Amino acid sequence: MYTFKGLLTENGWLENVFVKLDESGNISELKTVEKPEGEYVDGYVLPGFQNAHSHAFQYAMCGLAEYFEGSEVPDDFWSWRDAMYGIALSLSPGQMEDVAAMLYAEMLRNGYTSVAEFHYVHHDKDGKPYQNLSELGERLVSAAKRAGIRITLIPMFYQKGNFGTRPYDLQRRFISKTIEDYCQLLEASKQSIQFYDKANLAVGSHSLRAVQKEDLIESSLLSKDYPFHIHIAEQLKEIKDCVDFYGKRPAEWLLENCNVNEKFNLIHCTHLKDNEVEGIAKSGANIVLCPSTEGNLGDGRFRFKDYQNFGGNWSIGTDSQICVNPLEDLRLLDYGQRIHTHRRDTFFKPNLGDSGFNALKTAWKSGRNSMGFENENFFKVGESFDAVVMDAKAPLIETSSLKNLCNTIVYSSDSSHLSGTLVAGKWVVKNGKHENYENVRRGFVKSINEIKIR
Ligand SMILES: [Zn+2]
């Protein structure tokens, strides 16, 4: 039982809110009270942030691909990708788990309570399947359990090196040769989530370049039962390769060949033409934007305003993990648009909400959908209490009116203003400290030192 100074609903802030939980951490009662009952928390509660796109192993290489020494040619996305493949090839299952556990603990510290793990490193270092086909997926679920975050494991279908080409040796840990192989991986993945009650499953194909036409179409039919995730239209070279091979741009091809619907989660969509913007928005699909990664890799700028004009759904993801702070990513998304449009209305909806609230709500709702949950309300009786608490004594928060509080949080807070994170009603991070921090940190440092990459 808790009483919070404030709690955000879809209709604004409530003050002095009592929240009672059952033994599973689901809300059994939620009401405003005169006198606090249970643990009093001097903080403002937001629904936990939803991280709709993550590759956990890439956390091991954060900050390592910014180096010029020994190189005459400038770095680009594709040289970054080679460095990333180096990391993918070097991690043992135990090391994969240690890296992911640290990352997930950091996500929680920054207010994420759920992560969609777009997982494509499946085999051993020689490219041989493990006895348990989902060995590494299971390690990711285990990492999520150690950290206490909810995870949607998304085993990825990855088949080709590029459009119509065989896989490169560097990609040997990723490959399912056929759709049957992928379905076997999916079956094994179903077992891998059984031991953690905060894990579920989604499906996906890595990208148009990584899976051949018929198989990609077939894999997308799995969206009948699961959320379907795919990278699309991130890099200009990828657009060109796709046009050369299919005679179509990636998003155009997808819209023409697959039944793109609200179960589809399209990662990036950086480079879209008018008809693609409209087609995706009208399909009800969710676009997952990863502003820090897209900025770090020099991908380009998403046509946010045009997409919003059609009422398109969007959420955010940490992707390469270069930033795991959702507030920072929301700001970067907004400011990238403002710099380009010379306007301050990125998250504007006529007569509805404000920038901070609209950003929080849309990212949350579409993020929930990307993981297979269709919540309408931030907090509802019968549903799990997953929340992030902002410190009511942080100076700008303490002096903000409720009317301005969402904007104060989104536009002027950093992670030091988060006082804690709760998953299923329990503090996982309190006063800025993760409950299992030392254990997780030691495992991470040991594993990173073993692989000698930093
Ligand atoms: Zn990605």
Side-chain angles (χ1 to χ4, degrees):
M1 293 195 295
Y2 304 96
T3 300
F4 298 98
K5 185 177 178 63
L7 178 140
L8 188 64
T9 74
E10 311 72 53
N11 302 314
W13 290 97
L14 299 177
E15 290 181 274
N16 297 315
V17 181
F18 171 72
V19 179
K20 189 174 176 186
L21 305 161
D22 66 18
E23 66 258 18
S24 311
N26 294 330
I27 302 168
S28 57
E29 199 178 346
L30 191 152
K31 61 180 182 185
T32 56
V33 289
E34 295 282 311
K35 268 202 210 136
E37 296 174 47
E39 179 183 344
Y40 179 72
V41 181
D42 194 15
Y44 291 99
V45 180
L46 308 173
F49 288 95
Q50 308 295 307
N51 185 350
H53 188 67
S54 158
H55 311 290
F57 75 94
Q58 295 180 14
Y59 188 55
M61 65 172 288
C62 280
L64 297 188
E66 307 290 340
Y67 210 56
F68 299 128
E69 204 177 285
S71 176
E72 296 275 311
V73 287
D75 190 44
D76 65 9
F77 174 87
W78 307 99
S79 55
W80 171 87
R81 192 180 73 160
D82 285 344
M84 180 268 284
Y85 284 171
I87 305 296
L89 286 171
S90 66
L91 292 167
S92 71
Q95 290 161 346
M96 171 80 90
E97 179 176 326
D98 283 338
V99 169
M102 186 75 254
L103 168 69
Y104 295 158
E106 286 295 87
M107 286 181 190
L108 285 157
R109 190 173 64 81
N110 282 282
Y112 284 114
T113 53
S114 302
V115 59
E117 182 60 42
F118 191 111
H119 167 54
Y120 59 87
V121 185
H122 304 304
H123 308 316
D124 73 11
K125 292 179 192 177
D126 299 325
K128 273 209 337 275
Y130 290 102
Q131 192 164 15
N132 171 5
L133 294 178
S134 175
E135 172 71 33
L136 292 173
E138 197 157 315
R139 295 303 186 126
L140 293 168
V141 176
S142 181
K145 189 175 182 188
R146 276 168 63 191
I149 199 167
R150 285 184 196 280
I151 185 169
T152 299
L153 179 65
I154 320 173
M156 277 295 143
F157 189 8
Y158 202 125
Q159 182 185 45
K160 311 293 276 184
N162 197 356
F163 292 96
T165 66
R166 291 156 56 87
Y168 309 118
D169 185 50
L170 285 171
Q171 297 165 322
R172 61 186 178 271
R173 296 189 83 175
F174 312 161
I175 301 303
S176 302
K177 288 201 180 88
T178 62
I179 184 95
E180 288 76 23
D181 289 349
Y182 175 67
C183 287
Q184 282 184 10
L185 172 67
L186 188 58
E187 282 305 309
S189 305
K190 284 181 194 167
Q191 296 305 312
S192 295
I193 59 168
Q194 295 301 332
F195 68 97
Y196 184 39
D197 64 357
K198 298 180 183 66
N200 71 340
L201 208 61
V203 297
S205 279
H206 177 275
S207 53
L208 293 198
R209 67 179 143 82
V211 179
Q212 66 191 16
K213 181 178 177 178
E214 305 73 28
D215 292 338
L216 193 135
I217 292 170
E218 196 169 339
S219 74
S220 76
L221 299 176
L222 293 163
S223 67
K224 190 164 68 64
D225 299 315
Y226 300 97
F228 177 81
H229 289 238
I230 185 168
H231 287 128
I232 198 147
E234 179 181 9
Q235 281 277 324
L236 289 170
K237 176 177 179 299
E238 173 199 344
I239 310 285
K240 183 181 179 305
D241 289 350
C242 189
V243 171
D244 289 348
F245 190 72
Y246 281 134
K248 301 273 178 191
R249 299 163 55 81
E252 187 181 26
W253 186 93
L254 193 79
L255 286 162
E256 284 182 14
N257 288 277
C258 296
N259 172 28
V260 178
N261 58 56
E262 63 281 356
K263 300 285 276 297
F264 276 59
N265 296 276
L266 311 182
I267 322 301
H268 302 306
C269 292
T270 312
H271 303 286
L272 299 181
K273 291 261 198 232
D274 289 350
N275 58 331
E276 297 170 315
V277 171
E278 183 175 353
I280 294 170
K282 289 187 171 167
S283 75
N286 170 41
I287 292 184
V288 185
L289 301 166
C290 309
S292 296
T293 294
E294 288 152 7
N296 185 268
L297 296 178
D299 289 344
R301 186 186 55 85
F302 175 64
R303 294 175 58 182
F304 192 93
K305 207 64 207 162
D306 298 330
Y307 184 63
Q308 279 293 85
N309 287 341
F310 289 108
N313 300 318
W314 61 272
S315 54
I316 55 169
T318 58
D319 196 3
S320 72
Q321 326 300 353
I322 195 71
C323 167
V324 292
N325 183 334
L327 298 173
E328 209 173 299
D329 262 337
L330 289 174
R331 289 194 287 263
L332 186 58
L333 170 60
D334 188 354
Y335 296 162
Q337 302 294 319
R338 291 189 191 198
I339 285 169
H340 180 78
T341 61
H342 309 170
R343 298 174 68 100
R344 305 178 68 246
D345 59 355
T346 310
F347 302 132
F348 174 76
K349 292 183 178 171
N351 297 312
L352 196 69
D354 51 72
S355 292
F357 176 81
N358 290 349
L360 289 171
K361 184 176 175 186
T362 309
W364 179 83
K365 195 169 180 333
S366 298
R368 295 297 292 160
N369 282 336
S370 78
M371 298 172 201
F373 305 106
E374 290 177 16
N375 305 36
E376 281 301 313
N377 303 104
F378 294 163
F379 301 104
K380 188 177 175 189
V381 169
E383 285 179 1
S384 182
F385 188 61
D386 295 352
V388 53
V389 184
M390 303 303 298
D391 180 6
K393 286 285 184 286
L396 288 173
I397 292 176
E398 185 168 9
T399 52
S400 174
S401 62
L402 290 180
K403 182 171 167 241
N404 282 310
L405 191 51
C406 283
N407 293 324
T408 301
I409 290 169
V410 171
Y411 291 95
S412 65
S413 299
D414 64 35
S415 52
S416 69
H417 302 145
L418 268 68
S419 53
T421 306
L422 298 104
V423 178
K426 293 207 174 64
W427 290 106
V428 184
V429 174
K430 197 168 188 184
N431 301 323
K433 190 88 173 169
H434 185 271
E435 59 174 359
N436 203 12
Y437 183 80
E438 266 315 307
N439 173 293
V440 169
R441 189 193 65 82
R442 270 200 302 274
F444 174 76
V445 171
K446 178 174 162 289
S447 280
I448 292 293
N449 286 340
E450 282 167 4
I451 52 179
K452 300 190 174 65
I453 45 168
R454 297 190 69 87

